Each structure stands twice: as structure tokens, then as C-alpha cells.
């Protein structure tokens, strides 16, 4: 990491879906770079130990990104406690595959409410807090699938393509308020999300990665931390892949 | 001076005498979406509240803002 250890000193960050995987790795890395991190998850009490381990004033804020009132409450808490927000990482997301003929309306709504509307709601409140502080950085976690597609992932892919669309428009809308908005597009990342794949599918997937290994949550966290920092101070409206040369 | 009128005047960068109860959002160039968000910030700071999105959208006139603020127990 080229970032100085104190690169994010004094910054307040919020990471949604920070209980595990990319969200957890990102929360840790932001804290290592000096930020005070708010970790978010749905289940009250689930992050207390993690926050203690991360240190540097890390705290938990519990809300479900699909619940607009709860999202608002979460941001009100941050505003009350810290008076500002500098970094928002919209990571909370769900992955459910279904071939199009078997994609129920419930599945569609679940995925969109979490992966897309959740990002918009958090960006809405996040931007308001950032504007007060004179600017900030929003990093949305999209996906390779949202750019290039994949069998069985029309719904998930649509939600992630939506995240990319939101990123591009938010970047333009919020630039005047010095809020940068970027997205990362992870490829195959070795998290719980792919752990459940059948062995043959998993094997095939790994074979499609140029670098021959799945990415780690830390690989993605490094990119997010870079985009969140002043190192990327003139970067906005970008979708950056972190996929080890994946082609599917 | 009326606190709300003062805040609206400051946010829209207009003299207070131009701020009437009937003044409407988007009816004058000074009250566009950018000024609206500046107004939201000023109101939130002045009253120590965080406005709901529906209320930000609903703040269509000075009178309407006054009505909305009363919901938050913010004496306007």
C-alpha cells in the first residue's frame, strides 16, 4: 500500500455490510490508514467485538439498508456523534442466482432493494453529511457481472449495473460539492458469496481468471481505500475493475 | 426578525423583505435545487434536526417549511 499510515487521520468513514468479506476487510484497512470507522450490519450486537479488535474508535451502527427509516436513523447517529462524514463505502449487498425463467418477483425485489435502492438511500444521506464537511468520497461496490454479465445473474447483474449507473450520475451531480463518487467492480472474490458454489462450477470459474487465483477481500479493500483517500483526489465517476484479468 | 425568514434569506442570498410566506421553490432563480440543499443544511444546523427526504421534497414554500418544522418541534 502506497498510502501513508496516517493518510486518513481524522476522517470519519461508514462501511455498510461490514460484518464479513469485502466490507470487513475495508473497515480494517480504512482504520489502519487512520480513519475512525463506523461499521454497519443488520443484526444488533453482531459487530461489537469486531469494532473492539479494529480499534481507532471504530463503532457499530446497526441498520438494514432496505429500511429507509432505519438508514436515516443510522446517519442521524453518525451526524450526532461525529458531526460529519468523509467516506462512505456502499458495500452491503446480496447475491442470489436464478435463471431468468425462475427469477421470482420476490427475488428481484429483494436484490434490488438491497443492492440498488440501499446504495441510493445511503448516498442520499451520506452526501448530505459530506456536503456539510466540504466534501468526501463515496465508493460503491459494484461487480464484474454488472459490466459484462453472466449466466443466471440477470437480476443480480441488473442491480450491479444499476449501481454503476448511479455512480456515474452521482459523480456528476455531487462534483460541485467536492464529493467524489466511484465504483469498484470485483471479479471472483474468495468470500462466502462464492463458497457455496458446486465444485465443478467453482473450478470452471477459477479457470477463467487470468491471474489464476480468486481475489481476496483485501485485494478489493486496497482499491476502495485508495479511492476513498486523497491519493484519488481528482478521480470521480470511475468504475475500476479488480478482477485479476477475469474473462467470463 | 423571524428566525425562519432570516434563514431562508441567508440561504437564498436575498434581502429578508423579499421572503414572504407565499414564496415558492423554483419560482425564482435564487431558489433552485442547489440553494434548496443549502437551505436544508442551514435549517438543520439552526434547529438541530435532520430533515426527512419527504420533507425536503415537500418544502415547496416558506409557509410549507414552517409547517414541516413544527413536526420536528422546531419553533419557526
Amino acid at each position: 500500500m502506497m498510502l501513508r499510515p496516517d493518510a486518513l487521520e481524522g476522517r470519519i468513514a461508514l462501511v455498510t455490510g461490514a460484518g464479513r468479506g469485502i466490507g470487513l476487510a475495508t473497515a480494517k484497512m480504512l482504520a489502519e490508514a487512520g480513519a475512525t470507522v463506523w461499521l454497519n450490519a443488520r443484526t444488533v450486537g453482531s459487530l461489537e467485538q469486531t469494532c473492539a479488535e479494529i480499534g481507532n474508535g471504530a463503532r457499530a451502527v446497526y441498520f438494514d439498508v432496505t429500511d429507509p427509516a432505519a438508514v436515516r436513523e443510522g446517519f442521524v447517529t453518525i451526524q450526532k456523534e461525529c458531526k460529519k462524514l468523509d467516506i462512505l463505502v456502499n458495500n452491503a449487498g446480496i447475491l442470489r442466482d436464478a435463471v431468468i425463467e425462475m427469477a421470482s418477483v420476490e427475488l428481484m425485489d429483494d436484490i434490488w432493494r438491497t443492492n440498488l435502492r440501499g446504495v441510493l438511500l445511503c448516498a442520499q444521506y451520506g452526501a448530505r453529511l459530506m456536503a456539510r464537511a466540504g466534501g468526501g468520497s463515496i465508493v460503491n461496490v459494484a461487480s464484474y457481472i454488472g459490466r459484462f454479465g453472466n449466466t443466471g445473474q440477470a437480476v443480480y447483474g441488473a442491480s450491479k449495473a444499476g449501481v454503476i449507473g448511479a455512480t456515474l450520475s452521482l459523480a456528476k451531480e455531487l462534483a460541485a460539492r467536492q464529493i467524489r463518487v466511484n465504483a469498484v467492480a470485483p471479479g471472483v472474490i474468495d468470500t462466502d458469496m462464492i463458497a457455496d458454489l458446486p465444485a465443478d462450477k467453482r473450478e470452471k470459474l477459477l479457470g477463467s481468471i487470468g491471474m489464476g487465483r480468486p481475489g481476496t477481500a483485501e485485494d478489493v479493500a486496497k482499491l476502495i481505500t485508495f479511492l476513498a483517500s486523497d491519493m484519488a483526489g481528482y478521480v470521480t465517476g470511475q468504475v475500476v475493475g479488480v478482477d485479476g484479468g477475469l474473462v467470463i | 426578525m423571524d428566525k425562519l425568514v432570516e434563514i431562508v434569506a441567508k440561504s437564498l442570498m436575498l434581502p429578508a423583505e423579499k421572503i414572504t410566506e407565499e414564496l415558492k421553490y423554483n419560482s425564482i432563480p435564487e431558489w433552485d435545487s442547489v440553494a434548496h440543499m443549502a437551505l436544508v443544511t442551514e435549517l438543520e444546523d439552526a434547529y438541530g434536526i435532520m430533515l426527512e427526504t419527504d420533507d425536503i421534497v415537500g418544502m415547496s414554500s416558506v409557509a410549507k417549511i414552517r409547517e414541516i418544522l413544527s413536526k420536528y418541534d422546531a419553533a419557526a
Side-chain angles (χ1 to χ4, degrees):
Chain A
M1 201 68 203
M2 294 289 288
L3 283 173
R4 293 208 326 249
D6 61 347
L8 300 179
E9 198 77 55
R11 306 290 168 89
I12 308 294
L14 166 63
V15 181
T16 66
R20 58 202 168 110
I22 293 169
L24 177 58
T26 301
K28 282 181 182 166
M29 212 169 278
L30 292 173
E32 277 167 22
T36 299
V37 184
W38 288 85
L39 285 82
N40 155 262
R42 280 176 293 192
T43 312
V44 175
S46 63
L47 293 173
E48 301 308 319
Q49 198 186 333
T50 307
C51 288
E53 283 164 19
I54 289 177
N56 204 37
R59 296 181 55 181
V61 57
Y62 300 101
F63 59 83
D64 184 337
V65 297
T66 65
D67 179 347
V71 170
R72 179 173 173 277
E73 275 312 303
F75 281 86
V76 166
T77 300
I78 295 170
Q79 174 65 11
K80 274 190 188 147
E81 299 285 325
C82 297
K83 307 286 176 221
K84 68 164 189 169
L85 181 68
D86 303 292
I87 296 162
L88 166 63
V89 180
N90 277 316
N91 167 72
I94 54 174
L95 171 60
R96 274 185 228 155
D97 292 356
V99 293
I100 191 63
E101 296 88 341
M102 294 177 71
S104 68
V105 169
E106 287 73 23
L107 177 131
M108 293 181 193
D109 287 347
D110 279 354
I111 290 182
W112 291 338
R113 272 202 198 102
T114 308
N115 293 8
L116 184 52
R117 200 181 70 177
V119 167
L120 291 169
L121 285 173
C122 290
Q124 187 174 60
Y125 286 107
R128 282 171 62 188
L129 265 58
M130 287 177 186
R132 289 159 165 268
S137 173
I138 298 175
V139 184
N140 297 324
V141 178
S143 166
Y144 178 94
I145 308 305
R147 301 170 91 189
F148 304 108
N150 194 26
T151 300
Q153 298 196 310
V155 180
Y156 176 78
S159 74
K160 291 299 188 179
V163 169
I164 291 170
T167 302
L168 301 177
S169 288
L170 285 170
K172 290 188 170 163
E173 188 173 316
L174 299 175
R177 283 183 260 168
Q178 309 305 313
I179 300 169
R180 300 181 295 103
V181 188
N182 294 288
V184 299
V188 179
I189 305 301
D190 206 1
T191 65
D192 295 349
M193 278 192 175
I194 67 158
D196 300 336
L197 284 179
D200 57 328
K201 273 197 176 172
R202 195 182 150 87
E203 216 41 51
K204 194 176 160 214
L205 197 56
L206 295 182
S208 59
I209 304 168
M211 291 179 75
R213 66 164 178 92
T216 63
E218 286 71 27
D219 288 326
V220 184
K222 283 179 198 168
L223 176 59
I224 294 172
T225 304
F226 166 73
L227 288 170
S229 78
D230 292 345
M231 293 277 282
Y234 202 52
V235 180
T236 193
Q238 302 304 308
V239 182
V240 186
V242 48
D243 58 25
L246 176 68
V247 182
I248 53 175
Chain B
M1 192 199 300
D2 181 86
K3 186 176 175 183
L4 176 60
V5 169
E6 199 177 336
I7 294 167
V8 175
K10 184 183 169 200
S11 307
L12 307 187
M13 290 189 272
L14 284 172
E17 52 272 23
K18 297 243 179 181
I19 311 301
T20 64
E21 293 296 303
E22 296 74 37
L23 184 63
K24 284 193 167 50
Y25 170 63
N26 258 342
S27 67
I28 51 169
E30 289 85 352
W31 194 352
D32 61 4
S33 63
V34 175
H36 197 68
M37 287 317 296
L39 174 57
V40 167
T41 303
E42 290 288 342
L43 290 170
E44 289 180 339
D45 286 347
Y47 295 102
I49 55 175
M50 189 166 193
L51 290 160
E52 288 177 28
T53 305
D54 286 349
D55 290 331
I56 294 175
V57 177
M59 285 170 29
S60 54
S61 68
V62 174
K64 194 76 192 167
I65 295 173
R66 204 178 289 283
E67 185 190 316
I68 285 168
L69 286 174
S70 67
K71 248 184 26 179
Y72 291 83
D73 291 327

